[in-house]
């Protein structure tokens, strides 16, 4: 595999383009949903939310947040018709709120997406290690299992994006089948009867609602990645917007229904206690008791492939951010290197793989002999980094909504007042409220009790690069005005 990287300090967009016309709406929908990891969310995220918040109304939280994100997508989709850039958040914020803020947002995005992707390796390594031990009796270290996934993810990263889309499509379809079977069995068992208790407002909007919403918003992360593929889709003006609308609706309805089915299958009065006792195993123990053992084993295998699908999807996102920022000279230009054979962002992919390898090594060493034992990668690498990533991404969602308003203020004739102002303004306000809830409940989200350095250090690791990126952009404005002028415009097709 060879790469082609521009040699000048300011890469020319014409010399660095990703593969054109490869992806249609279904492919992008699968890429988005794969990042969301449906089976992982239902088995792990929903049970954790029941356990931590102590609320039965978790299903309703997905309905509420789905409505908020639909408002976000109204403006986001309209913006995607006019700005086609592999660094979506970066380009949108740069064009709507100014180039310095855009570069700051880009650096926040780089840190946040890397944190989400690398953090998932912790749960993947643990889950694969546990599955191998249960099936064969062989004891493999979590980090060795994580490295197996790392190799697979890296290979997908340097290959054609439509290969990833096809594989992820199959995996996502199988995830939906597993969860759908669980839902049907849960509704059939229903020890307390089929009840709508978990969907009643009073089951959610009480003390603990902040933690519940903060947990639930993390389940949607990745839904916004559609526009990142806008340089590679068949119809840049429509594909990303349509795919994102479809994905948000599917994700919110699917999660709400499955969380409700889980409450019914265990019993609304028992679901919180059961989630605290068994955690992610609740779903698999339930299937082993009420369905064929072989299906329970298959569900656990699909849980692992769900994590692998999310790793691949987030890796593709990070690689494209590196590519976009390298192409415009905001980061070193070698990051704009692409494969001549596959037209994949090879340099960005290899860079992301290298970062993941370094952090895996750090956590592997830190976990040796740790008191957490086998759960070390779950309670540290996975919990810390994925919540750190969600923190940054929700902030970026709010900034992007404001950027939509800023951009269309200069293009008033393009859309209705609802699309260019009302919907994005309301979504920005609601997303800021959700962001505030994450800040307030961050210690709870990362499993800490009382004050800890991590409760402010992890958010700081997201915010400080954002401030540094803004300062860097101001420096470029005075030192490299030619480069500064191209910020947020690479890859535009209009």
């Amino acid at each position: 595999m060879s790469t082609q990287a521009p040699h000048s300090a300011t890469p020319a967009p014409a010399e660095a383009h990703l593969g054109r016309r490869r992806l249609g709406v279904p492919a992008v929908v699968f890429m988005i949903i794969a990042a969301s990891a449906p089976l992982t969310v239902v088995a792990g995220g929903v049970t954790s939310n029941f356990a931590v918040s102590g609320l039965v109304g978790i299903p309703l939280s997905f309905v509420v947040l789905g409505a908020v994100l639909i408002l976000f997508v109204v403006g986001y989709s309209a913006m995607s018709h006019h700005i086609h850039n592999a660094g979506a958040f970066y380009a949108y914020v740069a064009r709507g709120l100014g180039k310095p803020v855009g570069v700051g947002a880009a650096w926040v995005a780089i840190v946040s997406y890397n944190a989400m992707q690398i953090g998932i390796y912790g749960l993947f390594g643990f889950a694969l290690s546990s599955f191998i031990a249960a099936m064969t009796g062989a004891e493999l270290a979590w980090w060795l299992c994580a490295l197996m996934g790392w190799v697979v993810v890296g290979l997908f990263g340097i290959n054609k994006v439509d290969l990833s889309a096809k594989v992820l499509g199959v995996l996502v379809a199988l995830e939906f089948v597993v969860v759908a079977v669980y839902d049907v069995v849960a509704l059939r068992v229903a020890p307390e009867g089929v009840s709508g208790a978990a969907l009643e407002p009073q089951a959610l909007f009480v003390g603990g609602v902040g933690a519940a919403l903060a947990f639930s918003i993390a389940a949607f992360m990745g839904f916004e990645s559609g526009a990142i593929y806008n340089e590679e889709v068949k119809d840049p003006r429509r594909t990303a917007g349509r795919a994102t609308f479809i994905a948000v609706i599917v994700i919110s309805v699917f999660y709400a229904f499955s969380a409700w089915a889980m409450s019914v299958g265990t019993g609304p009065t028992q679901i919180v206690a059961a989630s605290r006792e068994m955690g992610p195993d609740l779903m698999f123990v339930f299937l082993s008791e009420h369905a064929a053992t072989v299906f329970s084993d298959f569900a656990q295998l699909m849980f692992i492939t769900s994590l692998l699908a999310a790793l691949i999807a987030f890796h593709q996102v990070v690689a494209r951010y590196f590519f976009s920022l390298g192409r415009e000279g905001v980061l070193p230009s070698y990051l704009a290197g692409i494969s001549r054979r596959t037209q994949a962002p090879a340099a960005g992919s290899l860079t992301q793989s290298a970062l993941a390898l370094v952090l895996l090594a750090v956590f592997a060493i830190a976990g040796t002999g740790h008191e957490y034992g086998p759960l070390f990668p779950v309670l540290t690498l996975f919990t810390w980094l994925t919540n750190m990533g969600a923190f940054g991404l929700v902030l970026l969602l709010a900034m992007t909504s404001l950027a939509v308003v800023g951009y269309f203020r200069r293009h008033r004739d393009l859309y209705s007042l609802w699309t260019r102002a009302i919907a994005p303004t309301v979504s920005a306000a609601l997303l800021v409220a959700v962001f505030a809830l994450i800040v307030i409940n961050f210690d709870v989200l990362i499993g800490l009790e009382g004050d800890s350095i991590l409760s402010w250090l992890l958010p700081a690791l997201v915010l400080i690069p954002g401030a540094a990126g803004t300062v860097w952009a101001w420096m470029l404005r005075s030192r490299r005005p030619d480069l500064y002028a191209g910020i947020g415009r690479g890859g535009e097709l209009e």
Side-chain angles (χ1 to χ4, degrees):
M1 191 281 297
S2 61
T3 60
Q4 173 183 317
H7 299 290
S8 63
T10 309
E15 297 177 9
H17 280 301
L18 301 174
R20 302 292 196 197
R21 313 302 187 194
R22 293 191 182 279
L23 304 174
V25 172
V28 177
V29 169
F30 283 128
M31 299 285 276
I32 293 171
I33 295 178
S36 179
L39 181 53
T40 301
V41 168
V42 175
V46 172
T47 53
S48 296
N49 206 343
F50 278 125
V52 172
S53 69
L55 300 180
V56 178
I58 302 306
L60 185 57
S61 70
F62 291 114
V63 176
V64 171
L65 291 172
V68 172
L69 295 180
I70 284 293
L71 288 174
F72 169 84
V73 175
V74 170
Y76 185 68
S77 175
M79 200 94 158
S80 72
H81 294 176
H82 305 278
I83 300 176
H84 313 123
N85 194 309
F89 280 152
Y90 153 62
Y92 291 8
V93 175
R95 300 287 291 275
L97 298 180
K99 294 172 183 177
V101 181
V103 176
W107 289 21
V108 169
I110 285 289
V111 173
S112 300
Y113 278 118
N114 268 297
M116 289 291 288
Q117 200 272 351
I118 297 171
I120 294 171
Y121 277 114
L123 184 54
F124 175 83
F126 169 80
L128 180 56
S129 175
S130 299
F131 184 77
I132 291 174
M135 293 294 105
T136 69
E139 297 287 343
L140 294 181
W142 73 266
W143 55 266
L144 182 59
C145 293
L147 280 178
M148 295 178 189
W150 177 84
V151 171
V152 173
V153 171
L155 290 174
F156 274 101
I158 59 176
N159 270 287
K160 294 180 180 180
V161 68
D162 41 335
L163 174 63
S164 293
K166 291 172 183 175
V167 172
L168 294 181
V170 173
L171 294 179
V172 167
L174 290 173
E175 288 182 58
F176 273 92
V177 169
V178 169
V179 179
V181 170
Y182 168 77
D183 292 346
V184 170
V185 175
L187 293 176
R188 186 188 67 190
V189 173
E192 299 175 14
V194 178
S195 166
L199 296 172
E200 296 175 356
Q202 61 268 28
L204 176 65
F205 295 103
V206 293
V209 63
L213 292 174
F215 253 104
S216 292
I217 193 69
F220 287 89
M221 292 302 97
F223 86 93
E224 76 296 334
S225 60
I228 290 167
Y229 300 101
N230 232 353
E231 293 186 41
E232 301 163 271
V233 297
K234 295 177 181 178
D235 184 353
R237 294 185 180 277
R238 296 178 178 84
T239 299
R242 290 176 179 174
T244 306
F245 266 117
I246 292 169
V248 170
I249 293 170
V250 170
I251 289 170
S252 59
V253 171
F254 186 72
Y255 288 167
F257 183 84
S258 297
W260 170 69
M262 182 175 285
S263 74
V264 171
T266 305
T269 64
Q270 302 297 319
I271 185 62
V272 171
S275 295
R276 287 172 175 170
E277 178 185 353
M278 289 183 279
D281 282 341
L282 187 150
M283 178 177 179
F284 305 117
V285 170
F286 180 90
L287 286 173
S288 67
E289 293 176 350
H290 300 285
T293 302
V294 66
F295 185 79
S296 177
D297 293 340
F298 176 71
Q300 292 184 61
L301 177 61
M302 290 309 304
F303 178 74
I304 295 167
T305 61
S306 171
L307 292 166
L308 181 63
L311 285 167
I312 293 171
F314 277 116
H315 176 88
Q316 298 281 7
V317 171
V318 176
R320 281 155 180 77
Y321 261 98
F322 277 137
F323 164 81
S324 179
L325 297 176
R327 177 174 56 188
E328 297 184 6
V330 176
L331 289 180
S333 61
Y334 73 83
L335 290 171
I338 58 175
S339 166
R340 289 195 182 101
R341 179 176 60 85
T342 65
Q343 293 183 292
S349 174
L350 294 172
T351 300
Q352 203 283 324
S353 292
L355 288 172
L357 184 61
V358 169
L359 280 177
L360 283 175
V362 169
F363 277 86
I365 294 170
T368 303
H370 197 277
E371 62 180 313
Y372 288 164
L375 284 173
F376 174 81
V378 178
L379 298 178
T380 57
L381 178 57
F382 173 72
T383 301
W384 296 352
L385 267 67
T386 55
N387 281 293
M388 173 180 158
F391 169 87
L393 292 178
V394 173
L395 173 62
L396 288 171
L397 293 178
M399 292 176 66
T400 302
S401 287
L402 294 175
V404 171
V405 177
Y407 180 80
F408 287 119
R409 184 178 295 137
R410 301 188 297 274
H411 304 84
R412 295 176 182 272
D413 58 328
L414 293 177
Y415 295 98
S416 67
L417 183 65
W418 165 257
T419 298
R420 58 184 167 81
I422 298 175
T425 299
V426 173
S427 72
L430 295 173
L431 287 165
V432 167
V434 174
F435 178 74
L437 292 175
I438 293 176
V439 173
I440 294 169
N441 292 279
F442 198 77
D443 56 340
V444 176
L445 299 180
I446 60 175
L448 298 177
E449 295 182 2
D451 294 331
S452 169
I453 187 174
L454 288 173
S455 63
W456 62 264
L457 177 61
L458 294 178
L461 290 175
V462 174
L463 298 177
I464 291 174
T470 301
V471 172
W472 173 242
W474 284 332
M475 293 172 63
L476 289 176
R477 181 166 56 183
S478 59
R479 297 180 182 181
R480 293 294 310 277
D482 56 330
L483 190 153
Y484 181 82
I487 287 176
R489 295 185 177 274
E492 195 166 340
L493 302 180
E494 60 181 9

